[in-house]
Amino acid sequence: SVSGGNANADNYTLTETTTQFTIAPKPLTVSNGDLAYTKEYDGTTTASATGALSVDKVGEDDVTVTIGSAVYANKTVGTGKTVNLSGLTLAGTKAGNYVLAADTYTFTNGVITAKEVTVSGITAENKEYDGTTAATLVYTGLTITGMVDGDQLSATATGAFVDKDVADGKTVTISKITLTGGDAGNYVLAGTGNQA
């Protein structure tokens, strides 16, 4: 070392050396941010997102994450559903300074709401007078409009004649229509509310 100011500085020569160091990309952790996954039931697990993922970037760096694929764990109606993200890529002018900490992410804020359907074609049988208004319904012409092809969906209902007396051309009131079948939980009758 040289001490005492610069008195002996002329006795030394400084040789400049260059050593190369690396600045490694920062691993980015992705969080859900304000991203929401909400759709009406359509018989698929495809998730569509609105909003943006959050990343732990440095300051105001221009770096964002785009999603290649977002899918629900299953196709059924519900809230708090698992959504799996994959194929994430970085974008923005500072994207080269970062690398994704993971390739896939899972969040549990998905929502699939029930799809509305209409039911028609339920009729009734003629009957012999029995002192009641009870009607036996016929479902051979049942049509459910709005259901996804391939789903298992049917309906039941109750029926009653307008009164118990004998007459031709009597009106039968059909009420309490209930959706049945393996996929009934994914649907709601039109006009009764679209709830998950």
XYZ file of all heavy atoms in Angstrom, residues 28-142:
817
model
N -38.891 -13.956 -11.647
C -40.144 -13.277 -11.339
C -41.149 -14.254 -10.751
O -41.398 -15.320 -11.302
C -40.764 -12.698 -12.615
C -40.273 -11.351 -13.102
C -41.056 -10.956 -14.349
C -40.419 -10.293 -12.048
N -41.715 -13.863 -9.635
C -42.806 -14.633 -9.052
C -44.113 -14.004 -9.516
O -44.288 -12.796 -9.446
C -42.730 -14.622 -7.512
O -41.480 -15.207 -7.128
C -43.865 -15.423 -6.910
N -44.997 -14.836 -9.994
C -46.274 -14.366 -10.521
C -47.353 -14.564 -9.465
O -47.431 -15.603 -8.822
C -46.638 -15.147 -11.799
C -48.011 -14.764 -12.307
C -45.582 -14.916 -12.877
N -48.176 -13.538 -9.282
C -49.350 -13.668 -8.420
C -50.580 -13.282 -9.233
O -50.472 -12.708 -10.316
C -49.224 -12.805 -7.166
O -49.093 -11.445 -7.509
N -51.729 -13.594 -8.719
C -52.951 -13.438 -9.506
C -53.307 -11.989 -9.813
O -53.981 -11.709 -10.783
C -54.119 -14.127 -8.799
C -55.247 -14.397 -9.761
O -55.071 -15.099 -10.742
N -56.389 -13.811 -9.507
N -52.864 -11.054 -8.998
C -53.197 -9.652 -9.242
C -54.690 -9.453 -9.283
O -55.422 -9.957 -8.436
N -55.171 -8.747 -10.308
C -56.623 -8.532 -10.426
C -57.220 -9.426 -11.524
O -58.295 -9.157 -12.046
C -56.930 -7.064 -10.706
C -56.420 -6.587 -12.068
O -55.718 -7.347 -12.755
O -56.720 -5.435 -12.425
N -56.516 -10.505 -11.854
C -56.998 -11.406 -12.891
C -58.209 -12.182 -12.388
O -58.204 -12.733 -11.297
C -55.891 -12.380 -13.283
C -55.938 -12.948 -14.691
C -55.846 -11.831 -15.722
C -54.798 -13.919 -14.907
N -59.255 -12.198 -13.191
C -60.488 -12.916 -12.837
C -60.834 -13.888 -13.952
O -60.635 -13.591 -15.132
C -61.629 -11.928 -12.622
N -61.326 -15.049 -13.567
C -61.711 -16.087 -14.520
C -63.191 -16.381 -14.299
O -63.546 -17.107 -13.369
C -60.899 -17.351 -14.309
C -59.428 -17.097 -14.081
C -58.939 -16.872 -12.801
C -58.536 -17.065 -15.142
C -57.594 -16.626 -12.577
C -57.189 -16.809 -14.930
C -56.730 -16.598 -13.647
O -55.401 -16.345 -13.435
N -64.043 -15.790 -15.114
C -65.488 -15.973 -14.960
C -66.096 -16.240 -16.329
O -65.798 -15.527 -17.286
C -66.141 -14.720 -14.342
O -65.540 -14.461 -13.074
C -67.625 -14.914 -14.151
N -66.928 -17.269 -16.394
C -67.635 -17.539 -17.640
C -68.936 -18.263 -17.330
O -69.128 -18.810 -16.251
C -66.785 -18.373 -18.593
C -66.642 -19.843 -18.202
C -65.997 -20.635 -19.323
C -65.921 -22.117 -19.002
N -65.352 -22.889 -20.117
N -69.826 -18.253 -18.311
C -71.038 -19.063 -18.242
C -70.673 -20.476 -18.685
O -69.841 -20.657 -19.573
C -72.109 -18.480 -19.164
C -73.421 -19.236 -19.126
C -74.437 -18.647 -20.091
O -74.403 -19.026 -21.292
O -75.248 -17.810 -19.650
N -71.279 -21.447 -18.051
C -71.034 -22.847 -18.394
C -71.160 -23.065 -19.901
O -72.127 -22.619 -20.525
C -72.037 -23.741 -17.654
C -71.948 -25.187 -18.062
C -70.936 -26.003 -17.571
C -72.866 -25.740 -18.956
C -70.842 -27.333 -17.952
C -72.780 -27.070 -19.342
C -71.765 -27.862 -18.841
O -71.674 -29.177 -19.226
N -70.153 -23.739 -20.486
C -70.206 -24.043 -21.915
C -69.762 -25.469 -22.211
O -69.551 -25.844 -23.362
C -69.368 -23.046 -22.720
C -67.884 -23.111 -22.378
O -67.474 -23.971 -21.559
O -67.114 -22.294 -22.928
N -69.608 -26.275 -21.162
C -69.242 -27.673 -21.350
C -67.767 -27.912 -21.561
O -67.350 -29.047 -21.803
N -66.935 -26.864 -21.474
C -65.490 -27.010 -21.638
C -64.770 -26.518 -20.388
O -65.362 -25.862 -19.532
C -64.955 -26.197 -22.836
O -64.961 -24.794 -22.497
C -65.789 -26.438 -24.084
N -63.478 -26.812 -20.304
C -62.659 -26.330 -19.183
C -61.867 -25.080 -19.551
O -61.103 -24.572 -18.736
C -61.676 -27.417 -18.714
O -60.845 -27.808 -19.813
C -62.412 -28.625 -18.166
N -62.039 -24.591 -20.758
C -61.302 -23.403 -21.188
C -61.673 -22.202 -20.325
O -62.849 -21.907 -20.140
C -61.596 -23.087 -22.658
O -61.259 -24.227 -23.447
C -60.807 -21.883 -23.140
N -60.671 -21.514 -19.812
C -60.903 -20.337 -18.978
C -60.509 -19.093 -19.756
O -59.487 -19.075 -20.439
C -60.089 -20.422 -17.691
N -61.320 -18.068 -19.669
C -60.965 -16.786 -20.251
C -60.755 -15.812 -19.099
O -61.510 -15.813 -18.136
C -62.053 -16.291 -21.205
O -63.301 -16.268 -20.546
N -59.710 -15.018 -19.205
C -59.320 -14.152 -18.096
C -59.509 -12.685 -18.446
O -59.350 -12.280 -19.590
C -57.861 -14.405 -17.739
N -59.860 -11.902 -17.434
C -59.865 -10.449 -17.562
C -58.973 -9.900 -16.460
O -58.885 -10.480 -15.385
C -61.282 -9.865 -17.408
O -61.822 -10.282 -16.147
C -62.205 -10.346 -18.516
N -58.299 -8.798 -16.746
C -57.374 -8.228 -15.773
C -55.949 -8.627 -16.117
O -55.649 -9.038 -17.237
N -55.052 -8.518 -15.137
C -53.634 -8.795 -15.387
C -52.999 -9.498 -14.199
O -53.369 -9.264 -13.052
C -52.890 -7.492 -15.678
N -52.037 -10.367 -14.505
C -51.232 -10.994 -13.464
C -50.296 -9.954 -12.862
O -49.903 -8.993 -13.529
C -50.403 -12.133 -14.057
C -51.149 -13.372 -14.530
C -50.220 -14.261 -15.341
C -51.704 -14.132 -13.342
N -49.911 -10.149 -11.613
C -48.928 -9.281 -10.966
C -47.582 -9.998 -10.925
O -47.532 -11.212 -10.755
C -49.356 -8.942 -9.536
O -50.478 -8.104 -9.545
N -46.515 -9.220 -11.082
C -45.167 -9.781 -10.998
C -44.340 -8.906 -10.066
O -44.561 -7.710 -9.953
C -44.493 -9.862 -12.384
C -45.170 -10.902 -13.254
C -44.499 -8.520 -13.087
N -43.365 -9.521 -9.380
C -42.528 -8.774 -8.436
C -41.328 -8.146 -9.163
O -40.183 -8.432 -8.882
C -42.078 -9.680 -7.283
C -41.289 -10.886 -7.752
O -41.363 -11.227 -8.954
O -40.596 -11.503 -6.925
N -41.633 -7.265 -10.117
C -40.602 -6.612 -10.919
C -39.918 -5.505 -10.110
O -40.389 -5.088 -9.051
C -41.216 -6.040 -12.191
C -42.275 -4.973 -11.940
C -42.935 -4.540 -13.226
C -44.001 -3.477 -12.967
N -44.655 -3.056 -14.203
N -38.807 -5.017 -10.640
C -38.072 -3.930 -10.006
C -38.670 -2.598 -10.442
O -38.777 -2.321 -11.640
C -36.576 -3.979 -10.384
C -35.843 -2.768 -9.825
C -35.942 -5.283 -9.891
N -39.065 -1.795 -9.472
C -39.591 -0.464 -9.755
C -40.707 -0.468 -10.777
O -41.643 -1.243 -10.700
N -40.565 0.413 -11.761
C -41.580 0.567 -12.802
C -41.162 -0.079 -14.115
O -41.599 0.316 -15.188
C -41.860 2.060 -13.027
C -42.455 2.780 -11.824
C -43.809 2.207 -11.417
O -44.639 1.948 -12.307
O -44.016 1.985 -10.209
N -40.279 -1.096 -14.039
C -39.821 -1.769 -15.260
C -41.004 -2.182 -16.132
O -42.042 -2.635 -15.630
C -39.002 -3.015 -14.915
C -37.537 -2.697 -14.670
O -37.172 -1.509 -14.735
O -36.767 -3.646 -14.409
N -40.811 -2.035 -17.446
C -41.830 -2.450 -18.407
C -41.690 -3.949 -18.651
O -40.926 -4.383 -19.524
C -41.653 -1.660 -19.715
C -42.607 -2.121 -20.813
O -43.669 -2.680 -20.474
O -42.266 -1.925 -21.997
N -42.385 -4.731 -17.832
C -42.385 -6.174 -17.989
C -43.751 -6.706 -17.569
O -44.290 -6.316 -16.537
C -41.246 -6.863 -17.201
C -41.361 -6.572 -15.716
C -41.219 -8.351 -17.462
N -44.323 -7.531 -18.433
C -45.623 -8.134 -18.156
C -45.557 -9.614 -18.481
O -44.621 -10.078 -19.133
C -46.743 -7.485 -18.999
O -46.397 -7.612 -20.385
C -46.928 -6.020 -18.645
N -46.580 -10.340 -18.039
C -46.659 -11.775 -18.304
C -47.893 -12.043 -19.158
O -48.980 -11.553 -18.853
C -46.749 -12.577 -16.993
C -46.904 -14.062 -17.286
C -45.520 -12.341 -16.137
N -47.710 -12.794 -20.227
C -48.853 -13.216 -21.033
C -49.097 -14.705 -20.787
O -48.161 -15.457 -20.506
C -48.628 -12.961 -22.533
O -47.458 -13.659 -22.947
C -48.457 -11.482 -22.811
N -50.350 -15.107 -20.891
C -50.754 -16.471 -20.584
C -50.976 -17.237 -21.880
O -51.704 -16.791 -22.763
C -52.064 -16.469 -19.767
C -51.884 -15.661 -18.483
C -52.525 -17.884 -19.473
C -53.192 -15.353 -17.777
N -50.339 -18.393 -21.978
C -50.553 -19.234 -23.148
C -51.853 -20.007 -23.054
O -52.614 -20.080 -24.001
N -52.110 -20.579 -21.880
C -53.297 -21.408 -21.703
C -53.811 -21.279 -20.277
O -53.029 -21.284 -19.325
C -52.949 -22.871 -22.002
O -54.023 -23.719 -21.666
N -55.131 -21.156 -20.143
C -55.772 -21.134 -18.832
C -56.938 -22.113 -18.869
O -57.799 -22.012 -19.735
C -56.265 -19.738 -18.484
N -56.938 -23.080 -17.964
C -58.004 -24.081 -17.945
C -58.491 -24.324 -16.521
O -57.709 -24.307 -15.572
C -57.571 -25.427 -18.577
C -57.306 -25.287 -20.061
C -56.358 -25.995 -17.876
N -59.796 -24.517 -16.404
C -60.378 -24.916 -15.128
C -60.031 -26.385 -14.874
O -59.842 -27.154 -15.812
C -61.902 -24.774 -15.168
C -62.404 -23.353 -15.251
C -62.711 -22.782 -16.482
C -62.588 -22.591 -14.104
C -63.185 -21.479 -16.562
C -63.061 -21.291 -14.176
C -63.361 -20.735 -15.409
O -63.821 -19.453 -15.497
N -59.988 -26.773 -13.609
C -59.720 -28.171 -13.264
C -60.848 -29.081 -13.747
O -60.622 -30.247 -14.050
C -59.517 -28.314 -11.761
N -62.066 -28.548 -13.825
C -63.189 -29.306 -14.386
C -64.182 -28.324 -14.996
O -64.042 -27.113 -14.827
C -63.854 -30.210 -13.337
C -64.382 -29.417 -12.158
O -65.138 -28.465 -12.317
N -63.993 -29.820 -10.955
N -65.197 -28.851 -15.674
C -66.115 -28.000 -16.439
C -67.339 -27.545 -15.657
O -68.125 -26.752 -16.155
C -66.594 -28.738 -17.695
C -67.496 -29.931 -17.398
C -68.007 -30.593 -18.661
C -69.010 -31.693 -18.344
N -69.617 -32.265 -19.542
N -67.527 -28.014 -14.436
C -68.786 -27.817 -13.723
C -68.932 -26.425 -13.115
O -67.955 -25.743 -12.813
C -68.955 -28.859 -12.611
O -67.859 -28.759 -11.704
C -69.005 -30.258 -13.188
N -70.176 -26.049 -12.899
C -70.515 -24.752 -12.305
C -70.004 -24.674 -10.868
O -70.066 -25.655 -10.125
C -72.048 -24.551 -12.355
C -72.488 -23.403 -11.463
C -72.503 -24.339 -13.791
N -69.511 -23.509 -10.486
C -69.069 -23.301 -9.106
C -68.253 -22.042 -8.954
O -67.914 -21.361 -9.937
N -67.924 -21.716 -7.713
C -67.050 -20.590 -7.391
C -65.816 -21.130 -6.684
O -65.801 -22.269 -6.220
C -67.769 -19.568 -6.487
O -68.159 -20.224 -5.277
C -69.003 -18.997 -7.168
N -64.768 -20.304 -6.608
C -63.526 -20.746 -5.985
C -62.906 -21.909 -6.729
O -62.227 -22.754 -6.146
N -63.128 -21.950 -8.024
C -62.648 -23.063 -8.840
C -61.160 -22.928 -9.158
O -60.648 -21.839 -9.344
C -63.446 -23.134 -10.145
C -64.924 -23.442 -9.926
C -65.665 -23.632 -11.224
C -65.227 -24.854 -11.963
N -65.551 -26.140 -11.329
N -60.493 -24.066 -9.233
C -59.073 -24.099 -9.573
C -58.892 -23.798 -11.058
O -59.576 -24.367 -11.905
C -58.477 -25.474 -9.251
O -58.590 -25.698 -7.839
C -57.021 -25.562 -9.662
N -57.961 -22.876 -11.338
C -57.596 -22.536 -12.713
C -56.096 -22.740 -12.852
O -55.307 -22.227 -12.048
C -57.965 -21.073 -13.046
C -57.547 -20.734 -14.474
C -59.448 -20.838 -12.859
N -55.684 -23.514 -13.850
C -54.271 -23.792 -14.097
C -53.784 -22.971 -15.288
O -54.377 -23.037 -16.365
C -54.065 -25.283 -14.370
C -54.489 -26.134 -13.194
O -53.998 -25.957 -12.091
N -55.422 -27.047 -13.424
N -52.705 -22.217 -15.068
C -52.107 -21.408 -16.130
C -50.817 -22.067 -16.599
O -50.021 -22.539 -15.781
C -51.780 -20.001 -15.623
C -52.897 -19.196 -14.962
C -52.390 -17.807 -14.606
C -54.098 -19.092 -15.865
N -50.600 -22.067 -17.900
C -49.356 -22.595 -18.452
C -48.992 -21.804 -19.696
O -49.771 -20.982 -20.172
C -49.502 -24.084 -18.777
O -50.515 -24.282 -19.731
N -47.793 -22.059 -20.215
C -47.343 -21.357 -21.412
C -47.128 -19.875 -21.175
O -47.326 -19.068 -22.081
N -46.735 -19.502 -19.950
C -46.520 -18.089 -19.635
C -45.247 -17.582 -20.313
O -44.245 -18.291 -20.393
C -46.408 -17.889 -18.122
C -47.713 -17.760 -17.338
C -48.539 -19.021 -17.416
C -47.436 -17.424 -15.884
N -45.307 -16.350 -20.813
C -44.136 -15.716 -21.413
C -44.032 -14.285 -20.922
O -45.033 -13.680 -20.504
C -44.216 -15.711 -22.956
O -45.435 -15.085 -23.354
C -44.171 -17.119 -23.514
N -42.826 -13.747 -20.968
C -42.589 -12.367 -20.553
C -42.622 -11.449 -21.762
O -42.191 -11.815 -22.850
C -41.232 -12.255 -19.857
C -41.086 -13.037 -18.557
C -39.656 -12.933 -18.028
C -42.071 -12.545 -17.512
N -43.136 -10.250 -21.540
C -43.187 -9.240 -22.599
C -42.801 -7.902 -21.991
O -42.770 -7.739 -20.778
C -44.586 -9.185 -23.201
N -42.516 -6.937 -22.846
C -42.138 -5.604 -22.387
C -40.677 -5.313 -22.669
O -39.873 -6.223 -22.888
N -40.305 -4.029 -22.640
C -38.940 -3.616 -23.000
C -37.889 -4.110 -22.021
O -36.724 -4.213 -22.366
C -38.854 -2.079 -23.101
O -39.222 -1.509 -21.837
C -39.767 -1.552 -24.199
N -38.263 -4.439 -20.792
C -37.303 -4.918 -19.794
C -37.434 -6.419 -19.536
O -36.847 -6.947 -18.590
C -37.490 -4.161 -18.472
C -37.220 -2.671 -18.559
C -35.755 -2.390 -18.862
C -35.465 -0.893 -18.858
N -34.050 -0.613 -19.166
N -38.170 -7.112 -20.387
C -38.394 -8.542 -20.174
C -37.099 -9.340 -20.140
O -36.994 -10.341 -19.425
C -39.321 -9.090 -21.262
N -36.076 -8.901 -20.878
C -34.804 -9.617 -20.912
C -34.064 -9.624 -19.585
O -33.124 -10.402 -19.404
N -34.469 -8.760 -18.662
C -33.824 -8.711 -17.350
C -34.442 -9.693 -16.357
O -34.047 -9.734 -15.193
C -33.918 -7.301 -16.757
C -33.118 -6.299 -17.571
O -32.077 -6.626 -18.137
N -33.624 -5.082 -17.654
N -35.419 -10.480 -16.827
C -36.163 -11.355 -15.919
C -36.311 -12.748 -16.510
O -36.176 -12.960 -17.709
C -37.564 -10.777 -15.670
C -37.550 -9.432 -14.992
C -37.524 -8.254 -15.749
C -37.561 -9.320 -13.613
C -37.513 -7.015 -15.127
C -37.557 -8.078 -12.985
C -37.533 -6.932 -13.750
O -37.512 -5.710 -13.132
N -36.606 -13.678 -15.649
C -36.959 -15.037 -16.036
C -38.091 -15.470 -15.104
O -38.148 -15.067 -13.948
C -35.740 -15.992 -15.939
C -35.246 -16.126 -14.504
C -36.053 -17.338 -16.535
N -39.023 -16.266 -15.620
C -40.125 -16.731 -14.790
C -39.630 -17.730 -13.750
O -38.858 -18.634 -14.065
C -41.212 -17.370 -15.651
C -42.037 -16.395 -16.490
C -42.834 -17.138 -17.544
C -42.965 -15.588 -15.591
N -40.075 -17.571 -12.518
C -39.673 -18.469 -11.442
C -40.294 -19.855 -11.612
O -39.760 -20.844 -11.116
C -40.060 -17.877 -10.094
N -41.423 -19.928 -12.284
C -42.091 -21.211 -12.536
C -42.785 -21.155 -13.893
O -43.110 -20.075 -14.381
C -43.109 -21.511 -11.436
N -42.990 -22.324 -14.488
C -43.618 -22.397 -15.810
C -45.140 -22.444 -15.738
O -45.831 -22.103 -16.685
C -43.135 -23.629 -16.569
C -41.644 -23.548 -16.887
O -41.135 -22.425 -17.048
O -41.005 -24.607 -16.964
N -45.664 -22.926 -14.622
C -47.107 -23.055 -14.466
C -47.530 -22.477 -13.117
O -46.741 -22.463 -12.165
C -47.559 -24.520 -14.547
O -46.927 -25.261 -13.502
C -47.208 -25.129 -15.887
N -48.746 -22.008 -13.057
C -49.292 -21.469 -11.807
C -50.730 -21.950 -11.658
O -51.427 -22.195 -12.647
C -49.260 -19.932 -11.815
C -47.871 -19.382 -11.615
C -47.019 -19.180 -12.702
C -47.393 -19.073 -10.355
C -45.738 -18.696 -12.525
C -46.106 -18.586 -10.167
C -45.288 -18.401 -11.256
O -44.015 -17.924 -11.074
N -51.161 -22.076 -10.420
C -52.523 -22.489 -10.123
C -53.153 -21.475 -9.188
O -52.550 -21.106 -8.167
C -52.535 -23.882 -9.468
O -51.969 -24.825 -10.384
C -53.952 -24.315 -9.126
N -54.347 -21.027 -9.530
C -55.099 -20.102 -8.686
C -56.476 -20.699 -8.414
O -56.930 -21.597 -9.126
C -55.214 -18.729 -9.365
C -53.882 -18.087 -9.623
C -53.362 -18.018 -10.909
C -53.140 -17.573 -8.580
C -52.121 -17.447 -11.139
C -51.897 -16.990 -8.810
C -51.385 -16.925 -10.087
N -57.134 -20.202 -7.389
C -58.427 -20.792 -6.987
C -59.513 -19.727 -6.913
O -60.298 -19.700 -5.970
C -58.307 -21.512 -5.636
O -57.795 -20.591 -4.672
C -57.399 -22.722 -5.730
N -59.563 -18.862 -7.899
C -60.607 -17.826 -7.917
C -61.475 -17.900 -9.176
O -62.085 -16.934 -9.586
C -59.983 -16.436 -7.781
C -59.096 -16.079 -8.957
O -58.508 -16.943 -9.594
N -58.981 -14.799 -9.241
N -61.540 -19.084 -9.772
C -62.361 -19.253 -10.970
C -63.846 -19.333 -10.646
O -64.237 -19.796 -9.567
N -64.652 -18.872 -11.575
C -66.113 -18.920 -11.430
C -66.715 -19.390 -12.749
O -66.377 -18.872 -13.811
C -66.690 -17.525 -11.071
C -68.208 -17.576 -11.030
C -66.126 -17.015 -9.755
N -67.594 -20.391 -12.665
C -68.408 -20.788 -13.814
C -69.859 -20.670 -13.373
O -70.267 -21.279 -12.383
C -68.109 -22.221 -14.287
C -66.642 -22.356 -14.733
C -69.045 -22.607 -15.436
C -66.251 -23.759 -15.175
N -70.622 -19.848 -14.090
C -72.030 -19.644 -13.744
C -72.909 -20.577 -14.564
O -72.520 -21.048 -15.637
C -72.457 -18.181 -13.992
O -72.260 -17.866 -15.374
C -71.661 -17.218 -13.124
N -74.108 -20.834 -14.060
C -75.036 -21.753 -14.714
C -75.554 -21.161 -16.022
O -75.757 -19.960 -16.143
C -76.202 -22.061 -13.773
N -75.762 -22.032 -16.989
C -76.281 -21.629 -18.302
C -77.803 -21.715 -18.274
O -78.371 -22.700 -17.813
C -75.709 -22.549 -19.377
C -76.149 -22.226 -20.787
C -75.377 -23.089 -21.787
C -75.836 -22.869 -23.209
N -75.837 -21.484 -23.639
N -78.455 -20.691 -18.790
C -79.920 -20.688 -18.827
C -80.451 -21.549 -19.967
O -79.909 -21.541 -21.071
C -80.453 -19.255 -18.991
C -80.310 -18.415 -17.747
C -81.104 -17.121 -17.825
O -81.571 -16.760 -18.929
O -81.264 -16.472 -16.784
N -81.506 -22.295 -19.657
C -82.191 -23.102 -20.673
C -83.695 -22.892 -20.548
O -84.186 -22.450 -19.503
C -81.863 -24.609 -20.518
C -80.416 -24.895 -20.859
C -82.234 -25.125 -19.136
N -84.404 -23.209 -21.615
C -85.867 -23.189 -21.580
C -86.376 -24.596 -21.854
O -85.755 -25.360 -22.605
C -86.458 -22.216 -22.611
O -85.984 -22.570 -23.907
C -86.053 -20.778 -22.303
N -87.491 -24.923 -21.228
C -88.094 -26.244 -21.356
C -89.456 -26.092 -22.020
O -90.245 -25.225 -21.642
C -88.240 -26.905 -19.972
C -89.009 -28.214 -20.074
C -86.870 -27.128 -19.337
N -89.706 -26.930 -23.008
C -91.013 -26.925 -23.678
C -91.364 -28.344 -24.089
O -90.535 -29.254 -24.007
C -90.987 -25.996 -24.896
O -90.022 -26.445 -25.832
N -92.610 -28.517 -24.562
C -93.030 -29.800 -25.108
C -93.577 -30.785 -24.102
O -93.832 -31.944 -24.451
N -93.760 -30.390 -22.846
C -94.379 -31.285 -21.867
C -95.896 -31.188 -22.039
O -96.457 -30.095 -22.062
C -93.975 -30.906 -20.424
C -92.451 -30.961 -20.254
C -94.662 -31.829 -19.415
C -91.956 -30.444 -18.900
N -96.548 -32.326 -22.167
C -98.007 -32.356 -22.317
C -98.602 -33.275 -21.249
O -97.865 -33.792 -20.400
C -98.405 -32.843 -23.724
O -97.875 -34.153 -23.927
C -97.878 -31.896 -24.797
N -99.916 -33.472 -21.326
C -100.597 -34.314 -20.332
C -101.460 -35.360 -21.016
O -101.836 -35.218 -22.188
C -101.454 -33.446 -19.418
N -101.759 -36.414 -20.260
C -102.657 -37.456 -20.755
C -104.110 -37.104 -20.417
O -104.381 -36.445 -19.412
C -102.333 -38.798 -20.079
C -101.018 -39.397 -20.470
C -100.778 -40.746 -19.781
O -101.576 -41.119 -18.887
O -99.790 -41.407 -20.139
N -105.011 -37.555 -21.276
C -106.420 -37.507 -20.908
C -106.625 -38.475 -19.749
O -105.833 -39.403 -19.561
C -107.298 -37.932 -22.086
C -107.209 -36.938 -23.230
O -107.107 -35.737 -23.025
N -107.235 -37.461 -24.457
N -107.693 -38.275 -18.973
C -107.932 -39.203 -17.880
C -109.426 -39.363 -17.628
O -110.256 -38.557 -18.074
C -107.226 -38.739 -16.614
C -107.864 -37.550 -15.906
C -107.208 -37.346 -14.536
C -107.999 -36.362 -13.697
N -107.471 -36.264 -12.344
N -109.715 -40.396 -16.885
C -111.084 -40.637 -16.421
C -111.292 -39.857 -15.126
O -110.380 -39.707 -14.323
C -111.259 -42.138 -16.160
C -112.642 -42.542 -15.744
C -112.708 -44.044 -15.525
O -112.426 -44.486 -14.391
O -113.011 -44.769 -16.500
N -112.512 -39.355 -14.965
C -112.837 -38.586 -13.751
C -112.478 -39.388 -12.507
O -112.810 -40.567 -12.386
C -114.334 -38.250 -13.736
C -114.777 -37.579 -12.448
C -114.525 -36.240 -12.242
C -115.421 -38.306 -11.454
C -114.922 -35.624 -11.070
C -115.823 -37.692 -10.272
C -115.564 -36.343 -10.075
O -115.944 -35.737 -8.900
N -111.728 -38.726 -11.576
C -111.361 -39.379 -10.318
C -111.538 -38.452 -9.116
O -111.084 -38.740 -8.014
C -109.923 -39.899 -10.367
C -108.896 -38.784 -10.527
O -109.266 -37.588 -10.538
O -107.701 -39.107 -10.642
N -112.174 -37.298 -9.344
C -112.432 -36.373 -8.248
C -111.241 -35.509 -7.861
O -111.302 -34.766 -6.890
N -110.127 -35.568 -8.623
C -108.950 -34.728 -8.334
C -108.561 -33.953 -9.596
O -109.021 -34.259 -10.707
C -107.728 -35.564 -7.893
O -107.194 -36.246 -9.034
C -108.103 -36.560 -6.807
N -107.683 -32.996 -9.418
C -107.155 -32.241 -10.561
C -105.805 -32.801 -11.031
O -105.196 -32.269 -11.957
C -106.967 -30.755 -10.191
O -106.048 -30.661 -9.092
C -108.299 -30.111 -9.828
N -105.329 -33.861 -10.384
C -104.012 -34.422 -10.721
C -103.934 -34.805 -12.188
O -104.877 -35.378 -12.739
C -103.721 -35.633 -9.853
N -102.818 -34.482 -12.833
C -102.599 -34.802 -14.248
C -101.338 -35.636 -14.384
O -100.343 -35.412 -13.687
C -102.481 -33.526 -15.062
N -101.389 -36.599 -15.288
C -100.198 -37.390 -15.623
C -99.537 -36.738 -16.828
O -100.161 -36.569 -17.881
C -100.589 -38.849 -15.951
O -101.237 -39.419 -14.819
C -99.365 -39.661 -16.315
N -98.264 -36.361 -16.647
C -97.559 -35.636 -17.713
C -96.875 -36.589 -18.675
O -96.475 -37.696 -18.317
C -96.552 -34.670 -17.100
C -97.153 -33.585 -16.195
C -96.065 -32.664 -15.651
C -98.213 -32.778 -16.921
N -96.718 -36.106 -19.916
C -96.070 -36.868 -20.988
C -94.852 -36.074 -21.451
O -94.951 -34.883 -21.760
C -97.049 -37.096 -22.162
C -96.359 -37.842 -23.302
C -98.286 -37.834 -21.687
N -93.694 -36.754 -21.522
C -92.428 -36.068 -21.832
C -91.872 -36.435 -23.207
O -90.748 -36.049 -23.528
C -91.393 -36.402 -20.761
C -91.776 -35.913 -19.384
C -92.468 -36.742 -18.500
C -91.477 -34.618 -18.982
C -92.836 -36.286 -17.238
C -91.841 -34.157 -17.718
C -92.518 -35.000 -16.858
O -92.888 -34.549 -15.607
N -92.637 -37.131 -24.033
C -92.101 -37.569 -25.332
C -91.732 -36.394 -26.241
O -90.846 -36.519 -27.078
C -93.105 -38.488 -26.058
O -94.370 -37.820 -26.144
C -93.259 -39.811 -25.327
N -92.356 -35.256 -26.073
C -92.044 -34.085 -26.889
C -91.147 -33.079 -26.188
O -90.975 -31.948 -26.661
N -90.549 -33.497 -25.067
C -89.714 -32.582 -24.276
C -88.564 -32.013 -25.106
O -87.833 -32.756 -25.762
C -89.145 -33.318 -23.063
C -88.145 -32.533 -22.203
C -88.835 -31.379 -21.493
C -87.483 -33.458 -21.188
